[in-house]
Amino acid sequence: MGAYLVKRLAASVVTAILSSMAVFLLVRAVPGDVVAQMLGQSGARGSAAEESLRRFFGLDQPLWQQYLSWLWGVLQGDLGESWVRGRPVAQMVVNAFMVTLQLGLMTLVFATVIGVPLGLVAGLYEGRRIDSLIQGFNILGLSAPVFWLGLMLLVVVSQTFAWSPPLIYRTPGRDLGQNLEIMLLPLLSLGVLQAAAYSQFTRQCVVSAFSQDYVRTAVAKGLPMRVVFFKHILRNIMIPLVTFMGLILIQILGGTVVIETLFALPGLGRLLISAIETRDYPVVQGALLLVVFTALLVNLLVDMLYHVIDPRVRVGG
Amino acid sequence: MNGLSGISTLRRLWLGAALAGSATALAGAATADISPLLYGPEPDAVRSGGSLTYGSLVEPPALDPFHQGADARIRVTTLIYQGLFYEGEDGPIPLLARDFEVSDDGLVYTFHLRDGVRFHTGGEMTAADVKYSYDYIRDPDNGSPGAGDFNMIDEIRVIDDLTVEFVLTSPNASLPMALGNKYGAVVPAGTFDADGSRAAMNDRSVGTGPFMIREYQPNSFLELERFADYWQPGLPYLDEITYLYLPNNAALLVALQNNRVDVARLGRPQDAEQIEGMPNITVQRWPALEQKALDLDSNYGALSDERVRQAISLAVDKEEILQAAIGGYGTVIHTIVAGMQESWGVPRDELDFQGPDRERARALLEEAGHGSGVDLTLTTIIGYDWMDPAAVTLREQLAEIGVNLEIRRVDLGVWIDNFRSRNMGFTFNDWATQPDPNLLFFRHFHQQPQGADFRNWNNDVASELLRQGQQESDPEARRAIYRDFQKELARSVPTIMLFSADHVTVTSNRVHNFWQHPTGWHFGLVKTQVE
């Protein structure tokens, strides 16, 4: 286990460095930099102001030198400062990430609490009326685009209750009530989709488990359904279910851009978009680095969880 | 003191001085040397206190008036920072300057500063702060996008605590307007000495304006609070202003409906149709100093032939494009923005090559050897909603004279890059100005190196007129020069000005005395009141 962990971590570090290089180059491949944006239509290329700003941001250095000095900073835990906002990137990225993480975790809980039981029931009663009902929900939830659902929720709720979410974001620590008010509609918009996906997946797992030999054997030898279900089926489909949880979390963390944009949440997606628009390289790099690290971390945790859930998964051998 | 010896004219610029008598009674807001025209009309009753919420789709990238040129920044920082003058609709009005004198040769401006103006940081403003602030912004090494607006200044001298002299390299009638509120401001001397001082401006304001920053959370909100030691007695009326940065129109409209937002300016004027008639809100249209234009780069393919440019100008039906682009919430223009047409413009019938006259356009193309048609690519900017319908309409209009248009949509960053490298091709443009013809035209249309000549026009006649206009301080002579310039602009077609979109604002009924300045900046909030 220890050796495996070291190997996994080493691989993660290599992945992180390679991704950071890719990010570094990609963001610079987009034409127009922060200096051009700051100067706008105020002057032609090659002016003294442009040269001075370029020096100020270190854009006059060769690319490899810019990368190395950035990497050196990162290794020392310094992500630099935003070129546009002037604030420490680490602070901006972490603040934004907390918003996204909160939404992600709440969505995960929502999807699990709603989706898994629905999927289990549908799988158990395969082909019955209740199964059709649940499958109907799944199909609707999966096919409604998040943006559309969010917009409909916003408009319908606003028209029906003459209420719309507050627009000043507050952290849960500062004002829990207002924070939850803001999170409600985004949670529902994302939650329905993820619950439907989770429910569909769970149903699939249960249905296919029923055709497995060990379940047939258990049923054939006359074990009560309750025992078959909890002791055999549930135990065995746990691994794919946990994996799916990890997938959902990664998907939410990387995919809340649309919902953050719709509901004015100052999360990581919105930060990334605005940083890309203003060519704020340090922020784009810092934010993407965090996304990559989170994905690596979640994957690692899921792998570790397998081991805990099912000792048959041998690692490192 | 030689600068003072030649002074013969003492000018008090605000035309509204006569109005002052009627307004002084109100709130003591107007005293003898403060123009009542500053920050919009006086309210009919005094109503102080309260907070106002402003919903905005665009967010300033940063709040530093020295290094950030974005219009979204200027809109807001005009409430926080002040220059020596205010952008009056008919010319500059003294703001932090009390009045000024110009030497006979037009080279020395002596400004008398207001007494008792305080900074948000506590100190009192003196001539040394004025010298520091304008010396800082005009030094190209400090990287301000506005540096070019001040390149006529040779030297700034402190005469005494409340008197400062600006010595120019050549006469320039735009100096007072340049000392307005677009770029830079008067800040305490030494503001930029400390490391990280640019960044600090996002959290702490150091200006003299009526409002100061309380809290700024990017991608979410900006809270401003009333500056208690502000120099205009009784102002501002509001205790606080909260800007909410909303990512899309739907969120803004819903917020307006549910009273989460008191004031908003619609990004797309035509959205007014969706909310007009809603209870408890007022929709208003205001003339603007902005223009939507079609730019023609003289280095781009067939456009190097003046006749082709003239033919395109003749083929364009601006009214139809205005309707398609913003549903008629604007004014068709010719050679100057709508807000300046009355004081500086030329009547349409005195301009040549105004369309639509497709027969004459086809004849010109034929003459230029393009009788069989021309292929052009039109560039539009992603995210500028008006450009897409306008582009399609333009394609149909140009097809009628045999110009085949391919439409290419590019990211704003890409577009700015092309523009600044004077490689703009054939493109839509969207820009705004201060109410001064020199500031509007010179940089865009004067030959290099004095101007930027983004469109590679390289026109001797126009450049000479722009030089004369810049140096002439007599208003009538100035007007005549700029009228000649506009005729040349219409004749040679480096740009086709299409229309000015109105500023369309929405206010809830608890808001009183709201006023929108033609620049689109938020000056009017200083005298806005809430119930």
Side-chain angles (χ1 to χ4, degrees):
Chain A
M1 186 76 189
Y4 171 75
L5 200 61
V6 169
K7 238 165 103 182
R8 275 298 305 257
L9 280 174
S12 302
V13 168
V14 173
T15 315
I17 288 182
L18 287 179
S19 340
S20 79
M21 273 184 187
V23 165
F24 192 88
L25 291 174
L26 275 176
V27 65
R28 277 166 178 75
V30 184
D33 60 21
V34 69
V35 173
Q37 300 240 328
M38 283 179 134
L39 294 177
Q41 298 192 12
S42 71
R45 177 160 294 220
S47 64
E50 173 164 6
E51 297 308 314
S52 147
L53 281 173
R54 236 168 250 293
R55 271 197 308 279
F56 184 79
F57 293 123
L59 285 167
D60 54 339
Q61 310 275 321
L63 210 55
W64 61 270
Q65 212 168 320
Q66 291 181 39
Y67 177 71
L68 284 185
S69 67
W70 175 72
L71 191 65
W72 181 238
V74 171
L75 291 177
Q76 292 171 306
D78 177 14
L79 290 176
E81 274 181 6
S82 158
W83 287 351
V84 176
R85 313 269 187 203
R87 300 191 176 172
V89 171
Q91 178 208 325
M92 287 172 71
V93 166
V94 167
N95 285 349
F97 182 68
M98 294 319 280
V99 177
T100 306
L101 185 67
Q102 188 198 350
L103 181 59
L105 290 176
M106 282 170 68
T107 309
L108 186 62
V109 170
F110 181 89
T112 311
V113 168
I114 308 279
V116 173
L118 282 181
L120 291 176
V121 170
L124 265 178
Y125 298 97
E126 191 198 350
R128 312 255 191 93
R129 193 158 186 176
I130 181 114
D131 180 30
S132 315
L133 269 175
I134 291 172
Q135 287 222 62
F137 164 77
N138 294 351
I139 287 163
L140 277 178
L142 282 170
S143 50
V146 171
F147 185 79
W148 178 85
L149 191 62
L151 200 60
M152 284 302 115
L153 272 173
L154 188 63
V155 171
V156 169
V157 167
S158 151
Q159 296 290 344
T160 317
F161 303 103
W163 179 89
S164 63
L167 294 162
I168 296 188
Y169 177 81
R170 298 286 187 213
T171 57
R174 185 157 161 187
D175 185 343
L176 184 63
Q178 181 155 344
N179 175 271
L180 292 178
E181 259 189 283
I182 293 173
M183 287 290 182
L184 181 65
L185 293 186
L187 169 66
L188 285 178
S189 322
L190 279 176
V192 168
L193 164 74
Q194 298 299 350
Y198 214 171
S199 151
Q200 186 70 2
F201 182 76
T202 308
R203 178 184 177 279
Q204 227 50 19
C205 290
V206 175
V207 169
S208 69
F210 267 114
S211 61
Q212 299 283 316
D213 289 344
Y214 69 91
V215 177
R216 286 205 209 140
T217 312
V219 174
K221 72 184 180 187
L223 284 177
M225 207 51 210
R226 187 167 40 83
V227 178
V228 175
F229 183 68
F230 283 104
K231 216 170 156 196
H232 296 271
I233 295 183
L234 207 52
R235 193 82 191 261
N236 277 287
I237 65 172
M238 228 25 174
I239 287 194
L241 288 190
V242 168
T243 313
F244 201 73
M245 226 176 186
L247 285 178
I248 289 185
L249 192 59
I250 292 171
Q251 203 191 339
I252 296 171
L253 293 183
T256 53
V257 178
V258 168
I259 241 41
E260 285 170 8
T261 303
L262 184 59
F263 292 102
L265 285 175
L268 202 58
R270 214 174 152 205
L271 179 71
L272 251 176
I273 296 273
S274 69
I276 291 171
E277 278 171 356
T278 52
R279 307 288 190 270
D280 195 344
Y281 299 160
V283 175
V284 178
Q285 287 158 203
L288 284 177
L289 202 62
L290 187 71
V291 172
V292 170
F293 267 113
T294 314
L296 291 173
L297 191 72
V298 172
N299 276 325
L300 198 64
L301 280 178
V302 168
D303 275 7
M304 297 295 114
L305 264 179
Y306 287 169
H307 189 74
V308 176
I309 296 166
D310 187 349
R312 285 177 309 180
V313 177
R314 294 275 168 257
V315 289
Chain B
M1 297 294 281
N2 63 353
L4 284 169
S5 57
I7 289 164
S8 63
T9 47
L10 174 77
R11 288 202 232 151
R12 290 173 184 275
L13 259 171
W14 61 93
L15 305 167
L19 294 171
S22 62
T24 30
L26 289 166
T31 58
D33 61 353
I34 301 177
S35 165
L37 294 179
L38 284 181
Y39 299 117
E42 295 287 344
D44 42 19
V46 173
R47 198 186 274 114
S48 285
S51 62
L52 175 136
T53 312
Y54 197 115
S56 175
L57 293 177
V58 288
E59 177 173 1
L63 299 174
D64 169 355
F66 288 82
H67 301 100
Q68 183 48 252
D71 195 54
R73 185 280 295 165
I74 305 169
R75 289 179 198 172
V76 175
T77 57
T78 49
L79 297 171
I80 306 169
Y81 293 94
Q82 295 178 313
L84 295 184
F85 289 84
Y86 167 85
E87 289 80 356
E89 288 164 86
D90 294 305
I93 298 176
L95 189 62
L96 291 182
R98 187 163 42 79
D99 56 33
F100 73 104
E101 296 131 30
V102 191
S103 65
D104 277 341
D105 58 6
L107 289 177
V108 182
Y109 282 68
T110 306
F111 298 105
H112 302 286
L113 305 175
R114 262 178 225 290
D115 201 0
V117 172
R118 289 196 167 275
F119 290 111
H120 299 165
T121 46
E124 201 155 312
M125 177 192 75
T126 68
D129 301 311
V130 174
K131 175 177 162 57
Y132 171 83
S133 303
Y134 289 106
D135 273 342
Y136 182 88
I137 195 165
R138 72 194 182 92
D139 180 351
D141 278 346
N142 292 326
S144 171
D149 280 7
F150 302 91
N151 59 13
M152 73 290 252
I153 300 172
D154 183 39
E155 194 194 349
I156 301 175
R157 301 182 194 141
V158 173
I159 305 300
D160 61 44
D161 266 4
L162 293 177
T163 314
V164 61
E165 250 177 38
F166 282 54
V167 182
L168 310 190
T169 48
S170 61
N172 191 318
S174 295
L175 178 70
M177 195 61 96
L179 300 175
N181 301 283
K182 184 173 183 180
Y183 292 119
V186 180
V187 295
T191 292
F192 292 104
D193 290 352
D195 274 351
S197 49
R198 298 183 187 191
M201 287 184 129
N202 287 324
D203 296 308
R204 208 172 68 108
S205 48
V206 296
T208 57
F211 290 95
M212 47 201 275
I213 298 171
R214 179 186 288 156
E215 187 182 355
Y216 178 37
Q217 202 182 102
N219 288 323
S220 187
F221 66 88
L222 164 67
E223 281 175 354
L224 302 182
E225 61 185 321
R226 182 178 199 274
F227 175 37
D229 290 329
Y230 182 60
W231 57 270
Q232 278 183 280
L235 289 179
Y237 295 120
L238 294 167
D239 282 341
E240 52 184 30
I241 299 173
T242 303
Y243 283 96
L244 295 175
Y245 296 112
L246 302 172
N248 58 70
N249 238 342
L252 179 62
L253 294 181
V254 166
L256 275 167
Q257 281 178 335
N258 294 294
N259 303 319
R260 294 252 186 223
V261 162
D262 296 313
V263 180
R265 197 173 107 202
L266 300 180
R268 305 184 325 143
Q270 62 271 38
D271 285 334
E273 283 165 17
Q274 288 186 42
I275 39 180
E276 243 156 345
M278 254 168 55
N280 304 321
I281 61 157
T282 310
V283 177
Q284 283 169 287
R285 292 170 60 165
W286 313 81
L289 289 168
E290 64 108 66
Q291 58 174 320
K292 319 289 186 197
L294 183 57
D295 280 331
L296 302 90
D297 176 354
S298 291
N299 279 0
Y300 171 59
L303 297 185
S304 59
D305 190 327
E306 198 170 70
R307 291 167 297 187
V308 175
R309 304 202 300 270
Q310 290 165 340
I312 291 173
S313 177
L314 284 167
V316 170
D317 181 343
K318 296 177 181 179
E319 183 62 38
E320 194 178 61
I321 293 182
L322 167 69
Q323 290 298 335
I326 56 168
Y329 283 85
T331 315
V332 163
I333 58 175
H334 312 295
T335 50
I336 203 157
V337 294
M340 288 170 75
Q341 175 66 33
E342 207 180 301
S343 37
W344 296 98
V346 180
R348 183 182 184 281
D349 52 20
E350 291 175 31
L351 298 166
D352 203 356
F353 301 106
Q354 300 302 299
D357 182 348
R358 305 218 162 110
E359 206 167 309
R360 194 172 160 212
R362 275 189 291 266
L364 273 168
L365 275 188
E366 187 91 35
E367 196 187 313
H370 294 292
S372 53
V374 188
D375 291 328
L376 290 175
T377 300
L378 173 79
T379 311
T380 68
I381 311 170
I382 294 167
Y384 282 65
D385 288 332
W386 68 270
M387 290 186 184
D388 298 320
V392 176
T393 312
L394 182 70
R395 182 167 60 192
E396 286 170 13
Q397 293 177 359
L398 293 189
E400 293 193 26
I401 62 162
V403 174
N404 307 310
L405 210 55
E406 189 189 321
I407 299 168
R408 194 165 67 101
R409 305 173 81 230
V410 301
D411 174 87
L412 178 63
V414 176
W415 186 89
I416 288 182
D417 219 37
N418 291 339
F419 183 83
R420 298 189 59 243
S421 15
R422 302 166 72 216
N423 188 23
M424 64 198 309
F426 187 44
T427 179
F428 278 135
N429 197 347
D430 192 332
W431 53 299
T433 179
Q434 295 128 293
D436 177 274
N438 176 51
L439 295 176
L440 167 61
F441 293 128
F442 192 91
R443 188 168 35 220
H444 274 257
F445 297 106
H446 195 288
Q447 287 159 328
Q448 290 209 311
Q450 297 90 340
D453 197 18
F454 298 109
R455 299 157 187 81
N456 300 298
W457 192 24
N458 200 17
N459 184 310
D460 295 329
V461 177
S463 298
E464 174 55 22
L465 288 167
L466 288 173
R467 192 192 61 79
Q468 290 172 11
Q470 185 174 64
Q471 305 205 341
E472 181 57 66
S473 55
D474 176 64
E476 267 323 302
R478 233 183 148 209
R479 260 177 245 284
I481 294 167
Y482 283 110
R483 275 198 289 269
D484 286 345
F485 168 77
Q486 290 173 66
K487 287 176 185 166
E488 179 61 14
L489 196 73
R491 191 197 63 77
S492 179
V493 203
T495 187
I496 300 168
M497 298 189 187
L498 299 167
F499 60 89
S500 285
D502 292 338
H503 300 304
V504 178
T505 59
V506 186
T507 44
S508 75
N509 286 355
R510 65 185 282 268
V511 177
H512 295 274
N513 205 43
F514 175 78
W515 173 77
Q516 176 64 60
H517 191 273
T519 48
W521 306 342
H522 294 175
F523 288 128
L525 295 181
V526 176
K527 288 184 176 172
T528 297
Q529 305 175 325
V530 292
E531 274 168 19

